[in-house]
Amino acid sequence: QVRLVESGGGLVQAGESLSLSCVASGFYFAYRDMHWYRQSAGKQRELVATITDNGATNFADSVKGRFGISRDNAKSTVYLQMNSLKPEDTAVYFCNVKIRRTVLGAEEDYWGQGTQVTVST
C-alpha cells in the first residue's frame, strides 16, 4: 500500500525559509520520480518541483532559484527546501508519486495528506 506522509509546514514571514519532508512507503522509492505539488485557495493544484530517480531536478518558473528538491533513498524521503518565501507561496503542499502497475496500464497518482505553508507579509 502506497503511503506518503508530509511534514514541516508552518507559518513563516516573507523572506524566511522552510523545509518540507515526505516519507514514502509501499513501493520501491529509489526507482521512482518524486514530485511536490501545491494548491492554494481557489486555484488548481500545480507542480512545484520534480526529482527523478537518478537525481535530476526540475522546478516551476515561479520557484526557480528559491526552492530546492532532494532525496534520500536510504530513508525513502524526499525534501523540499523553500527559501526566500513569498506570500504567494502560501498553499497546501503535497508529495506525489506516479506509478504504472503494468506495462499497458494507466499511471496512477498517489498523494500525501498535504502540509500547510503560510507566508505572512
Side-chain angles (χ1 to χ4, degrees), residues 4-98:
L4 303 170
V5 181
E6 302 98 333
S7 62
L11 172 63
V12 296
Q13 291 189 332
E16 293 184 339
S17 298
L18 208 57
S19 181
L20 306 183
S21 301
C22 171
V23 179
S25 60
F27 62 98
Y28 198 81
F29 181 81
Y31 283 172
R32 301 292 179 182
D33 299 350
M34 297 298 298
H35 314 275
W36 284 98
Y37 284 74
R38 68 184 181 188
Q39 187 168 21
S40 52
K43 295 187 178 181
Q44 287 191 330
R45 196 169 293 189
E46 63 171 345
L47 178 62
V48 175
T50 294
I51 185 164
T52 67
D53 59 344
N54 63 7
T57 61
N58 195 35
F59 298 92
D61 288 342
S62 58
V63 306
K64 274 181 185 174
R66 300 189 297 121
F67 287 17
I69 186 171
S70 60
R71 64 191 299 158
D72 184 337
N73 289 338
K75 296 181 179 180
S76 296
T77 301
V78 59
Y79 305 96
L80 185 69
Q81 177 64 41
M82 305 183 293
N83 301 321
S84 302
L85 282 160
K86 304 175 181 180
E88 50 263 44
D89 294 318
T90 295
V92 179
Y93 284 73
F94 297 91
C95 182
N96 168 266
V97 65
K98 304 176 190 302

